[in-house]
Every structure is written in structure tokens, then in C-alpha cells.
Amino acid sequence: YGGVTFICDYVKAPLWTMDAVLEFLADAQAARKIIVIGTLSDYPGATSSKYAALARRALEVADQVVFAGPQAKHALRAESRSSPLHAFPTVPQAAEHLRANVRAGDLVLLKGSERADKLYRIVFGGPASAWIVK
């Protein structure tokens, strides 16, 4: 789509799979690497600490980290003044942000739960012209 490459892994998002996702992203070659994380599953303990810890780890390998969904706000605990971390309560809001900010050469990795997030709407939810990057 307009020079943007999407990696779509949005069927299920157990926390234990994130190591492999972040390793893949660290090794990927792209002008910029953007990760979009939806609803995580299958983890013990407090939600807020899991999202914040994942956000910190994602910021180490991605140029921009976007969380989408009702738990996204917990990721902001990892934010610093210069961090490219964003949290949106809905997927359409995250999609709008991405459409306004992606550039040709970007790699966008989507990781979430199909049932909870429907992250495919980021790629397929708007008009095809939305991904024509100048």
C-alpha cells in the first residue's frame, strides 16, 4: 500500500508471543519500524504493568509504538518526553493516526486479537487511497 509494508499478525496476542514479534522487528530492515499492539491475552498479574513493560521493550526496537484498544492507556506508563509512544482507545483512532503519519518505506507490524481488536480495519477499513503515500 503506497510503499508501506504491513505484517499482519492479528489473530491472537498472547503475551508470550511478543518476544518473537519484537525479535522479528529488531531484525527487520525498513526506513522506519512501527508496531501496533492491540489487546494482549494469556498473562498472569496486573494488566497495567504488563502493557507498560511491553511498551518499554517495543520502544527499544521500533521507531514508533502504537497501542490500540481499551487497555492501551496502560502502555503510557512507559512514556517519556521523547518517546514515540501513542495510545488510542479505539482501533479507528489508531488507524487515523497511522494514515496521517506513515511514509513510503515504513514497516508496520500489527499484533492483536481478531476477536477483541479487529486490527485488519487499519489496513482495510478505509478507502484504498488512504494508503497512497506521497
Side-chain angles (χ1 to χ4, degrees), residues 61-77:
V61 299
D63 298 293
Q64 189 175 146
V65 178
V66 177
F67 280 81
Q71 304 301 328
K73 63 183 177 256
H74 298 300
L76 293 176
R77 292 179 54 203

Side-chain angles (χ1 to χ4, degrees), residues 22-33:
L22 295 177
E23 185 178 323
F24 168 83
L25 196 59
D27 292 340
Q29 300 295 311
R32 288 189 316 161
K33 301 173 202 177

Side-chain angles (χ1 to χ4, degrees), residues 5-7 37 60 80 90 92-93 98 105 113 118 121 133:
T5 300
F6 288 92
I7 304 294
I37 301 169
E60 293 175 4
S80 69
T90 69
Q93 289 170 316
L98 288 168
S113 166
K118 299 176 179 40
R121 295 181 295 172
V133 180

Side-chain angles (χ1 to χ4, degrees), residues 37-103:
I37 301 169
T39 303
L40 300 172
S41 65
D42 303 328
Y43 57 86
T47 297
S48 60
S49 63
K50 300 300 181 195
Y51 278 78
L54 178 56
R56 281 190 284 282
R57 292 177 52 216
L59 286 165
E60 293 175 4
V61 299
D63 298 293
Q64 189 175 146
V65 178
V66 177
F67 280 81
Q71 304 301 328
K73 63 183 177 256
H74 298 300
L76 293 176
R77 292 179 54 203
E79 187 174 35
S80 69
R81 285 193 174 139
S82 62
S83 90
L85 177 63
H86 307 277
F88 299 95
T90 69
V91 171
Q93 289 170 316
E96 184 177 320
H97 166 78
L98 288 168
R99 285 188 189 106
N101 290 286
V102 297
R103 304 188 293 244

